[in-house]
Amino acid sequence: MTQRIDYMQQSSALFKKFVEFNMLVKDSAIETSSLDLVSIRASQINGCGFCLDMHVKQAKLHGERELRLYHVSIWRESTLFTPRERAVLAWTEALTTLPPHGVPDEVYDSVRDELTEKEISDLTFAVMAINAWNRINVAFRAVPGTLDVPYGLTKANLS
């Protein structure tokens, strides 16, 4: 696979502002481990190999256990996730796929039982961010692993 265009170079001002937005999301009320799960699950749903590759490696560097990484796609059946993480994953899926009649009440209720309003709001921005990254990387066919060295992802030892 070859990347179609270098959007970072072609739209450098927009890219810079989006990176700034993403940094604010990382400093939000949502813990890093949940942000990692959000990025992994949305990237799986959207078929973004570049983002999935990057976020699995980042999660490993953040201390995530490998088995939990393998179980993200089967989180409903897995016993490895807390009720809070399950609510985060359900919210991520609902906002990533956007059902025809909106987010179901049961999904909202589950996230509302586990997170504060501020956390739900911040989580929503995190889901928005990864979906945007997924869309640009899928559109321009970003090649998985190409930024491992500059982002320090080789330390994850997953290559």
Side-chain angles (χ1 to χ4, degrees):
M1 181 167 76
T2 304
Q3 186 163 329
R4 289 178 168 158
I5 65 171
D6 182 349
Y7 63 83
M8 296 176 205
Q9 178 184 22
Q10 296 302 315
S11 302
S12 60
L14 292 170
F15 174 74
K16 181 181 176 188
K17 289 296 181 185
F18 194 58
V19 168
E20 288 175 20
F21 170 77
N22 207 61
M23 296 311 290
L24 290 173
V25 168
K26 288 183 180 191
D27 289 334
S28 73
I30 304 300
E31 61 280 351
T32 300
S33 60
S34 287
L35 290 175
D36 288 337
L37 294 176
V38 167
S39 295
I40 291 166
R41 186 64 188 128
S43 299
Q44 288 173 335
I45 292 167
N46 290 323
C48 184
F50 179 86
C51 290
L52 181 59
D53 178 78
M54 174 187 294
H55 293 293
V56 163
K57 291 171 182 171
Q58 285 177 333
K60 180 111 188 297
L61 290 172
H62 295 150
E64 187 59 77
R65 296 184 340 227
E66 281 191 54
L67 185 58
R68 281 174 39 98
L69 294 174
Y70 303 143
H71 278 220
V72 172
S73 64
I74 59 158
W75 66 268
R76 283 181 182 81
E77 294 82 20
S78 177
T79 59
L80 302 179
F81 300 97
T82 67
R84 179 182 173 90
E85 291 168 332
R86 291 174 180 285
V88 164
L89 288 163
W91 192 250
T92 300
E93 287 185 1
L95 295 182
T96 298
T97 60
L98 282 178
H101 301 288
V103 177
D105 288 339
E106 59 270 12
V107 173
Y108 176 76
D109 292 342
S110 73
V111 78
R112 187 68 180 102
D113 288 345
E114 297 295 331
L115 283 75
T116 67
E117 288 183 1
K118 166 82 167 119
E119 289 172 327
I120 295 168
S121 182
D122 287 358
L123 174 60
T124 301
F125 278 98
V127 175
M128 290 168 40
I130 190 57
N131 276 283
W133 285 117
N134 289 166
R135 279 152 180 74
I136 199 162
N137 285 310
V138 167
F140 298 126
R141 294 186 180 157
V143 180
T146 55
L147 294 178
D148 282 5
V149 172
Y151 288 3
L153 299 176
T154 55
K155 295 174 190 169
N157 295 319
L158 290 175
S159 53

